[in-house]
Amino acid sequence: MDIAKHVGASGRWLVANCGKFPSDMDCKLVMMAPESQRKDFVEAAVAHAVKSHGHQDTKELRQQLDGFLEVVTI
């Protein structure tokens, strides 16, 4: 699969992969965003963690999620 074709651009992208973390829900959601949109991407990851996994929106959660993001080049 040509990911660059699907996302419409190449370059450095952030990836959040719920499947890397054990949960009762067995969540396999994977999200991607351009590295330049890190702040918005963290917001989206927080929204998912709160709504789907029942976490509280805290500074610590935001820092953890930001730290979990992977950078890939496509």
Side-chain angles (χ1 to χ4, degrees):
M1 175 189 294
D2 183 359
I3 293 176
K5 178 181 174 185
H6 289 284
V7 299
S10 59
R12 291 172 55 91
W13 287 72
L14 300 170
V15 177
N17 182 351
C18 262
K20 288 192 170 189
F21 303 97
S23 74
D24 294 337
M25 296 177 56
D26 196 30
C27 184
K28 301 293 184 204
L29 180 68
V30 176
M31 300 186 295
M32 292 180 67
E35 190 175 37
S36 63
Q37 293 181 297
R38 187 178 200 104
K39 184 177 177 183
D40 291 333
F41 192 56
V42 170
E43 287 293 325
V46 168
H48 172 71
V50 169
K51 183 172 181 173
S52 297
H53 296 283
H55 293 286
Q56 296 295 314
D57 184 349
T58 64
K59 181 178 178 180
E60 291 78 18
L61 175 66
R62 290 169 177 275
Q63 289 172 338
Q64 280 185 329
L65 292 175
D66 186 64
F68 292 150
L69 298 179
E70 296 179 54
V71 178
V72 298
T73 302
I74 56 173

